[in-house]
Amino acid sequence: MPEFDFDVLIIGAGAAGVGVGRIFKELGLSRFTLLERHEIGATFRRWPREMRFISPSFTSNAYGLLDLNAVALDTSPAFSLADEHPSGRSFARYLEGVVEEFSIPVTTGVEVTGIETLETPAGFCVSTTQGALTSRFVVWAAGEFQYPRLTPFPGGQLCRHNSTVSSWRALEGDEFLILGGSESGIDAATRLCSYGKRVRVVDRGEPWDEEGSDPSATLSPITLRRLDRALATERLELIGKETVDRVTQRAGKYCVTMASGLELSSPTPPILCTGFAGSLTLIGDKFEWNDDGVPSLSEIDESTKTPGLFVTGPLVRHEQLVLCFIYKFRQRFAVVADAIAERLGLDRTPLERYRLQRMFLDDLSCCEETCAC
C-alpha cells in the first residue's frame, strides 16, 4: 500500500498547472493529479471579454519554434484556436484540449484550504473542501489573477478592481478614472475609449513613456499601438507621477486624493488596475520572503523553507528576472519536473527534447534583454 495518496499534487489547472502536468505524463508518472477549485483555465475565463493575449500566437512547430503562448510541446493555440491574440475564454478551450489530448488527470471543484508538512515520511497533507490528501511533493501553480489587491490604499473598497469586470462595454457611465497605468490599466482605458467613454489614467510613474525590450517591465507593442489610437480620440488623458493617497465619496462623487494634494473626482467608481496579491499568500508561512514581497526559491524553484514544495507559473521570480509571460515561465516547467523525477527515481530521458526546444531553462544567467535595434 502506498504511503501517500499521490506522489505529486499540482495545485491549479491553468497554464502552469496544465503545462507541468503534461511533462509529468510524458515522464510516466501515474500517481499525480491537478486540483482546481473552479474549472480548467478558470483565470482566463474570468478575463474581461475584450481582453486579449498581448503576446502573439503563431504556428511554427515545424521549424522548431514553439508558439509563444503554448504551454506544452506539440501544441499551438494559433493552430487549435485559429487566433493570433486569443481571448481568455478561447485560451481556456486550448488548455482543455491539452488536458484531453494528453489525458492529464484533473480534479475540478476542489479548493485547497491549507498545507501541512509531514516529517515521517517526509511529505504533505493538503487540506481541501473535499477532504485531506497526502502527497510526497506539491507543485503550487495557482497563479494570481483570482487574488486581486482590493485595498492598496485607504478607500480602496470604494473602487472596482479590473479583474471583476466581465465586459468594459457593460459598465454604466460616460466618464471613468483608472488607477494604474501599466498593461491592465491601459487595456481598460483603450477599451473604454473605443466605446466612446472619456477616461483618465493615473500612475505613480509614466509607464506609457518608458522604453525597454522586456514586456514584463514596459508596455507591449500591441498595447502602445492601441494607446496611440485612443489618444487620437482626445477622450483619454494620462496623468503621471502622482501617487494615490486615499479615495473618499462626497456628494455622490468619488474623490481621489493624491500625495501631492491633487484631487480628482469621478462620477463612477474608480477602477483599480493595481495588480494582484498572488495565491502564495494562502500558504505564506511555507516560504521565506524578501523585502519586495517575493518568495525565496531555490535554483530549481523549490521553497527555501519547505523542501518538496515547488512553485511554477507567473509568481516565480529570480532576482531581477520576472517570468510572468507564458513563454517565460513555461521554460521552468521541466526544471521542476526534473528535480521531482530525480527524487522519485524516474527515467528523465524524455526531458532531453524539452532542452532542445528551449523548454528547460536551468541557466538564468543568459536571460538578458539585448536588442541592438
Side-chain angles (χ1 to χ4, degrees):
M1 174 179 253
E3 296 172 323
F4 297 100
D5 296 320
F6 297 95
D7 287 323
V8 181
L9 280 177
I10 301 173
I11 313 304
V18 170
V20 76
R22 161 70 178 113
I23 299 180
F24 281 128
K25 282 290 294 189
E26 193 162 1
L27 288 170
L29 185 65
S30 58
R31 299 180 60 248
F32 82 98
T33 193
L34 282 66
L35 300 180
E36 171 56 54
R37 67 172 178 166
H38 294 303
E39 59 278 292
I40 295 170
T43 285
F44 300 101
R45 296 178 192 275
R46 284 156 180 76
W47 279 9
R49 287 190 177 275
E50 298 87 349
M51 186 178 287
R52 296 291 186 272
F53 271 71
I54 58 177
S55 49
S57 281
F58 203 83
T59 306
S60 50
N61 290 350
Y63 296 89
L65 299 172
L66 191 61
D67 186 322
L68 285 180
N69 296 318
V71 302
L73 295 183
D74 310 316
T75 73
S76 169
F79 176 76
S80 59
L81 303 175
D83 196 344
E84 185 176 358
H85 293 277
S87 68
R89 289 165 179 79
S90 293
F91 194 76
R93 292 200 304 273
Y94 157 73
L95 293 178
E96 287 181 326
V98 175
V99 168
E100 181 178 356
E101 177 68 25
F102 301 109
S103 301
I104 301 170
V106 178
T107 305
T108 58
V110 179
E111 182 173 0
V112 172
T113 57
I115 295 180
E116 177 186 352
T117 55
L118 304 175
E119 294 185 0
T120 309
F124 300 91
C125 180
V126 178
S127 301
T128 80
T129 51
Q130 303 296 320
L133 298 170
T134 59
S135 180
R136 187 169 175 183
F137 299 99
V138 169
V139 178
W140 194 268
E144 58 181 350
F145 188 82
Q146 297 177 49
Y147 305 88
R149 289 194 178 96
L150 299 176
T151 53
F153 36 72
Q157 71 277 6
L158 297 173
C159 306
R160 180 170 190 173
H161 198 278
N162 71 301
S163 64
T164 67
V165 177
S166 60
S167 171
W168 297 111
R169 184 189 293 275
L171 291 188
E172 297 183 358
D174 296 315
E175 297 181 22
F176 295 90
L177 180 59
I178 294 175
L179 309 181
S182 296
E183 279 288 347
S184 60
I186 300 303
D187 179 74
T190 55
R191 302 298 182 186
L192 288 167
C193 280
S194 71
Y195 296 139
K197 313 295 185 180
R198 301 195 68 84
V199 183
R200 289 174 293 173
V201 178
V202 179
D203 194 274
R204 67 180 61 189
E206 292 179 314
W208 43 82
D209 283 335
E210 294 180 7
E211 295 184 355
S213 55
D214 183 359
S216 295
T218 60
L219 296 180
S220 65
I222 192 172
T223 300
L224 288 170
R225 184 68 176 271
R226 288 168 45 213
L227 177 60
D228 286 341
R229 290 198 295 265
L231 288 170
T233 68
E234 298 186 348
R235 293 192 296 269
L236 174 61
E237 179 183 2
L238 303 176
I239 304 171
K241 298 183 179 180
E242 291 285 356
T243 301
V244 176
D245 180 67
R246 64 186 182 277
V247 178
T248 56
Q249 195 170 14
R250 295 196 305 268
K253 289 194 174 185
Y254 298 87
C255 300
V256 180
T257 303
M258 309 299 167
S260 66
L262 174 67
E263 187 171 282
L264 303 173
S265 65
S266 173
T268 57
I271 298 171
L272 291 177
C273 294
T274 49
F276 303 86
S279 61
L280 285 179
T281 56
L282 299 176
I283 53 169
D285 62 321
K286 299 295 186 290
F287 296 89
E288 296 175 314
W289 298 81
N290 65 24
D291 294 338
D292 295 327
V294 175
S296 177
L297 301 176
S298 72
E299 61 184 10
I300 54 175
D301 295 347
E302 184 177 21
S303 168
T304 56
K305 182 179 180 181
T306 309
L309 174 60
F310 293 81
V311 180
T312 189
L315 297 175
V316 174
R317 302 284 191 276
H318 283 285
E319 296 183 358
Q320 301 304 312
L321 292 179
V322 180
L323 306 175
C324 63
F325 279 85
I326 287 175
Y327 75 86
K328 292 183 177 183
F329 66 70
R330 72 183 183 191
Q331 297 184 79
R332 301 291 291 178
F333 295 164
V335 173
V336 171
D338 181 61
I340 293 176
E342 181 179 21
R343 297 181 200 180
L344 291 174
L346 299 176
D347 178 15
R348 295 142 64 201
T349 303
L351 294 177
E352 293 178 4
R353 75 182 190 119
Y354 283 82
R355 193 179 295 278
L356 291 173
Q357 292 284 329
R358 302 179 64 84
M359 280 273 282
F360 195 151
L361 179 65
D362 53 0
D363 180 9
L364 294 172
S365 65
C366 68
C367 296
E368 296 182 2
E369 299 294 332
T370 54
C371 295
C373 61

